[in-house]
Amino acid sequence: MRYFHLTIVLLVLAFAAGTFISPNPARAATAAEINRDAKSALEKLYGKSPKAKALGEKAKGVLVFPGIAKGGFMVGGQYGEGALIKDGKTAGYYNTLQLSYGLQAGIQKYGYALFLMTDTALKWIDKSDGWEIGTGPSIVVMDAGAAAAATTTTLQSEIYAFFFDQKGLMGGIGLQGTKITKIKK
Protein backbone atom coordinates (compact mmCIF):
# COMPACT_ATOMS: atom_id res chain seq x y z
CA MET A 1 0.00 0.00 0.00
CA ARG A 2 2.90 2.31 0.79
CA TYR A 3 4.34 1.83 -2.73
CA PHE A 4 0.94 2.53 -4.24
CA HIS A 5 0.76 5.90 -2.45
CA LEU A 6 4.32 6.73 -3.47
CA THR A 7 3.51 5.87 -7.08
CA ILE A 8 0.41 8.10 -7.04
CA VAL A 9 2.38 11.01 -5.56
CA LEU A 10 5.13 10.62 -8.16
CA LEU A 11 2.60 10.44 -10.99
CA VAL A 12 0.91 13.62 -9.80
CA LEU A 13 4.29 15.38 -9.56
CA ALA A 14 5.28 14.17 -13.04
CA PHE A 15 1.95 15.36 -14.46
CA ALA A 16 2.31 18.76 -12.78
CA ALA A 17 5.88 19.13 -14.06
CA GLY A 18 4.76 18.08 -17.53
CA THR A 19 2.13 20.79 -17.64
CA PHE A 20 4.71 23.43 -16.81
CA ILE A 21 7.29 22.41 -19.43
CA SER A 22 5.00 21.15 -22.19
CA PRO A 23 4.35 23.44 -25.13
CA ASN A 24 1.19 25.49 -25.04
CA PRO A 25 -0.70 25.02 -28.32
CA ALA A 26 -2.40 28.38 -27.85
CA ARG A 27 1.05 29.97 -27.60
CA ALA A 28 2.92 28.21 -30.40
CA ALA A 29 6.16 29.82 -31.49
CA THR A 30 6.00 32.09 -34.51
CA ALA A 31 8.28 31.69 -37.51
CA ALA A 32 10.28 34.75 -36.39
CA GLU A 33 10.77 33.29 -32.89
CA ILE A 34 11.88 29.93 -34.25
CA ASN A 35 14.31 31.64 -36.67
CA ARG A 36 15.79 33.78 -33.90
CA ASP A 37 16.11 30.90 -31.42
CA ALA A 38 17.52 28.43 -33.95
CA LYS A 39 20.16 30.82 -35.26
CA SER A 40 21.11 31.91 -31.75
CA ALA A 41 21.40 28.30 -30.56
CA LEU A 42 23.55 27.38 -33.57
CA GLU A 43 25.87 30.34 -32.94
CA LYS A 44 26.28 29.30 -29.29
CA LEU A 45 27.00 25.71 -30.34
CA TYR A 46 29.61 26.92 -32.84
CA GLY A 47 31.20 29.04 -30.10
CA LYS A 48 31.52 26.03 -27.79
CA SER A 49 32.45 23.40 -30.37
CA PRO A 50 34.87 24.10 -33.24
CA LYS A 51 34.03 20.65 -34.67
CA ALA A 52 30.35 21.60 -34.88
CA LYS A 53 31.33 24.79 -36.71
CA ALA A 54 33.52 22.80 -39.13
CA LEU A 55 30.63 20.39 -39.79
CA GLY A 56 28.26 23.32 -40.28
CA GLU A 57 30.51 24.75 -42.98
CA LYS A 58 30.41 21.45 -44.91
CA ALA A 59 26.79 20.46 -44.20
CA LYS A 60 24.10 20.67 -46.88
CA GLY A 61 21.74 21.82 -44.11
CA VAL A 62 21.44 21.99 -40.33
CA LEU A 63 18.18 21.10 -38.59
CA VAL A 64 18.19 22.98 -35.26
CA PHE A 65 15.78 22.38 -32.36
CA PRO A 66 16.75 25.07 -29.81
CA GLY A 67 14.36 24.16 -26.97
CA ILE A 68 13.00 20.67 -26.47
CA ALA A 69 11.00 19.90 -23.34
CA LYS A 70 11.13 16.30 -22.10
CA GLY A 71 9.48 14.74 -19.09
CA GLY A 72 8.00 11.59 -17.77
CA PHE A 73 7.54 8.96 -15.15
CA MET A 74 7.34 5.46 -16.64
CA VAL A 75 5.62 7.00 -19.69
CA GLY A 76 7.35 10.05 -21.11
CA GLY A 77 7.39 12.43 -23.99
CA GLN A 78 9.20 15.33 -25.55
CA TYR A 79 8.30 18.11 -27.95
CA GLY A 80 10.10 20.97 -29.65
CA GLU A 81 10.05 23.10 -32.78
CA GLY A 82 12.99 24.01 -34.96
CA ALA A 83 14.24 25.21 -38.31
CA LEU A 84 16.20 23.79 -41.21
CA ILE A 85 19.00 26.21 -42.05
CA LYS A 86 20.58 26.04 -45.51
CA ASP A 87 23.18 28.57 -46.66
CA GLY A 88 22.46 30.72 -43.60
CA LYS A 89 18.74 31.00 -44.36
CA THR A 90 15.71 29.18 -43.00
CA ALA A 91 14.48 26.60 -45.51
CA GLY A 92 11.64 25.10 -43.46
CA TYR A 93 10.18 24.47 -40.03
CA TYR A 94 9.93 21.16 -38.20
CA ASN A 95 8.75 19.71 -34.93
CA THR A 96 10.11 16.76 -33.03
CA LEU A 97 7.92 14.50 -30.97
CA GLN A 98 9.00 11.55 -28.89
CA LEU A 99 7.08 9.03 -26.83
CA SER A 100 8.77 6.60 -24.51
CA TYR A 101 7.95 3.88 -22.04
CA GLY A 102 10.16 2.22 -19.44
CA LEU A 103 12.02 2.81 -16.21
CA GLN A 104 12.39 6.58 -16.42
CA ALA A 105 11.69 9.67 -14.37
CA GLY A 106 12.44 13.37 -14.51
CA ILE A 107 12.13 16.55 -16.53
CA GLN A 108 14.65 18.11 -18.85
CA LYS A 109 15.03 20.87 -21.41
CA TYR A 110 17.70 20.82 -24.10
CA GLY A 111 18.39 21.50 -27.73
CA TYR A 112 19.97 19.59 -30.55
CA ALA A 113 21.25 20.16 -34.06
CA LEU A 114 21.32 17.59 -36.86
CA PHE A 115 24.04 18.27 -39.42
CA LEU A 116 22.83 16.86 -42.75
CA MET A 117 26.00 16.18 -44.72
CA THR A 118 24.63 14.80 -48.01
CA ASP A 119 21.87 15.60 -50.45
CA THR A 120 20.40 12.18 -49.64
CA ALA A 121 20.16 13.06 -45.93
CA LEU A 122 18.65 16.44 -46.79
CA LYS A 123 16.00 14.85 -49.02
CA TRP A 124 15.26 12.15 -46.43
CA ILE A 125 13.71 14.57 -43.93
CA ASP A 126 10.99 15.45 -46.44
CA LYS A 127 10.67 11.99 -48.01
CA SER A 128 7.56 10.99 -46.09
CA ASP A 129 4.98 12.47 -43.75
CA GLY A 130 7.41 12.60 -40.87
CA TRP A 131 10.80 11.10 -40.35
CA GLU A 132 11.53 8.63 -37.61
CA ILE A 133 15.02 8.69 -36.20
CA GLY A 134 16.44 5.22 -36.63
CA THR A 135 14.63 4.40 -39.87
CA GLY A 136 16.63 6.51 -42.30
CA PRO A 137 20.27 7.42 -42.67
CA SER A 138 22.46 6.58 -39.70
CA ILE A 139 23.03 9.30 -37.13
CA VAL A 140 26.28 9.72 -35.23
CA VAL A 141 25.84 11.46 -31.87
CA MET A 142 28.81 13.75 -31.24
CA ASP A 143 29.59 14.17 -27.56
CA ALA A 144 32.63 16.12 -26.39
CA GLY A 145 34.91 13.06 -26.72
CA ALA A 146 33.67 12.04 -30.16
CA ALA A 147 33.88 15.62 -31.44
CA ALA A 148 37.44 16.01 -30.16
CA ALA A 149 38.54 12.82 -31.92
CA ALA A 150 36.79 13.63 -35.21
CA THR A 151 38.83 14.53 -38.26
CA THR A 152 37.87 15.19 -41.85
CA THR A 153 38.82 11.60 -42.72
CA THR A 154 36.77 10.03 -39.90
CA LEU A 155 33.65 12.10 -40.59
CA GLN A 156 31.97 9.80 -43.10
CA SER A 157 28.36 9.60 -41.86
CA GLU A 158 25.37 11.32 -43.46
CA ILE A 159 24.01 12.92 -40.26
CA TYR A 160 25.72 14.15 -37.09
CA ALA A 161 23.83 15.18 -33.95
CA PHE A 162 25.03 17.62 -31.28
CA PHE A 163 23.08 18.09 -28.04
CA PHE A 164 23.41 21.37 -26.13
CA ASP A 165 22.04 23.52 -23.29
CA GLN A 166 20.89 20.58 -21.20
CA LYS A 167 19.00 21.60 -18.05
CA GLY A 168 17.13 19.42 -15.60
CA LEU A 169 17.44 15.75 -14.84
CA MET A 170 16.06 12.79 -16.75
CA GLY A 171 17.23 9.26 -16.23
CA GLY A 172 16.30 5.72 -16.96
CA ILE A 173 16.00 3.16 -19.70
CA GLY A 174 13.14 2.38 -22.00
CA LEU A 175 11.73 2.06 -25.50
CA GLN A 176 11.35 5.27 -27.44
CA GLY A 177 10.60 6.59 -30.86
CA THR A 178 11.30 10.07 -32.19
CA LYS A 179 9.50 11.57 -35.16
CA ILE A 180 10.48 14.74 -36.99
CA THR A 181 7.75 16.32 -39.11
CA LYS A 182 7.72 19.36 -41.40
CA ILE A 183 5.27 22.03 -40.24
CA LYS A 184 3.94 25.25 -41.74
CA LYS A 185 4.60 28.56 -40.05
Side-chain angles (χ1 to χ4, degrees):
M1 191 62 150
R2 190 166 119 194
Y3 292 112
F4 177 74
H5 288 257
L6 179 61
T7 302
I8 295 298
V9 168
L10 289 174
L11 282 172
V12 169
L13 288 174
F15 178 75
T19 19
F20 290 116
I21 68 166
S22 68
N24 182 351
R27 172 64 186 102
T30 65
E33 290 170 330
I34 294 172
N35 288 342
R36 179 196 65 221
D37 293 346
K39 288 180 180 179
S40 173
L42 198 55
E43 286 177 18
K44 285 181 190 175
L45 176 61
Y46 287 167
K48 291 180 182 177
S49 173
K51 294 294 182 182
K53 186 173 183 175
L55 277 174
E57 291 169 355
K58 294 180 181 178
K60 300 290 183 177
V62 183
L63 186 53
V64 184
F65 293 98
I68 297 172
K70 181 177 183 176
F73 179 75
M74 301 301 264
V75 175
Q78 78 173 26
Y79 181 83
E81 294 180 335
L84 174 63
I85 300 172
K86 291 190 326 188
D87 300 321
K89 296 180 179 147
T90 301
Y93 300 98
Y94 294 80
N95 69 22
T96 179
L97 175 68
Q98 180 187 80
L99 297 175
S100 57
Y101 176 77
L103 297 173
Q104 60 185 335
I107 56 173
Q108 184 179 40
K109 191 165 186 178
Y110 63 95
Y112 71 86
L114 296 174
F115 291 82
L116 308 165
M117 305 305 292
T118 64
D119 288 324
T120 305
L122 196 57
K123 288 176 186 170
W124 183 260
I125 62 173
D126 292 325
K127 185 178 178 181
S128 64
D129 185 29
W131 173 55
E132 281 187 59
I133 291 181
T135 61
S138 63
I139 296 176
V140 176
V141 176
M142 301 293 283
D143 61 13
T151 66
T152 53
T153 56
T154 60
L155 295 173
Q156 301 296 325
S157 189
E158 291 186 271
I159 302 174
Y160 293 92
F162 281 82
F163 291 82
F164 53 86
D165 290 341
Q166 295 163 323
K167 297 175 182 114
L169 181 63
M170 184 79 184
I173 57 172
L175 299 172
Q176 61 188 22
T178 303
K179 186 174 182 182
I180 296 173
T181 307
K182 190 168 189 171
I183 57 175
K184 294 183 182 186
K185 286 286 176 180

